[in-house]
Amino acid sequence: MRKIAAAVMFALIAQTALAQDHIPMYGESKDKTEAEKADDIRAERAYQRSLGNVPNQKAVDPWGTARGDEAKKPATPAKPVVKHSSKAKSGSPPN
């Protein structure tokens, strides 16, 4: 009885798998008709025209609110490093 039930289950599964349409594999292509080629060209031109209608966007700073107002201020230039002489002054304790 189990063999019959397994055969029926296999037949049901195989039937749905064989009913599927052909799926093109990699490298397999269908030749396009002239109308499909013209439609593709028209769609590409419409896409390029639609890109021209999009305004230029300003740069977005997603962390601007986290940094606060301090980041917006221009940085103050650092003071130049002053070199000290290698000779220590007499009477002053060493650091």
Side-chain angles (χ1 to χ4, degrees), residues 8-21:
V8 169
M9 292 290 280
F10 181 72
L12 290 174
I13 293 172
Q15 184 181 15
T16 57
L18 293 174
Q20 293 180 357
D21 290 336

Side-chain angles (χ1 to χ4, degrees), residues 61 64 67-75:
D61 185 12
R67 281 194 284 270
D69 293 333
E70 295 174 6
K72 294 179 183 176
K73 295 178 185 176

Side-chain angles (χ1 to χ4, degrees), residues 15-51:
Q15 184 181 15
T16 57
L18 293 174
Q20 293 180 357
D21 290 336
H22 172 69
I23 299 172
M25 301 303 249
Y26 181 76
E28 204 177 317
S29 64
K30 182 180 91 171
D31 292 332
K32 292 185 177 182
T33 63
E34 292 299 322
E36 289 175 335
K37 289 178 185 177
D39 288 342
D40 287 345
I41 291 171
R42 238 182 283 125
E44 182 65 28
R45 287 180 183 161
Y47 172 71
Q48 292 299 329
R49 279 195 312 269
S50 70
L51 288 180

Side-chain angles (χ1 to χ4, degrees), residues 52-72:
N53 295 337
V54 177
N56 292 333
Q57 301 291 323
K58 290 194 284 184
V60 177
D61 185 12
W63 287 93
T65 57
R67 281 194 284 270
D69 293 333
E70 295 174 6
K72 294 179 183 176

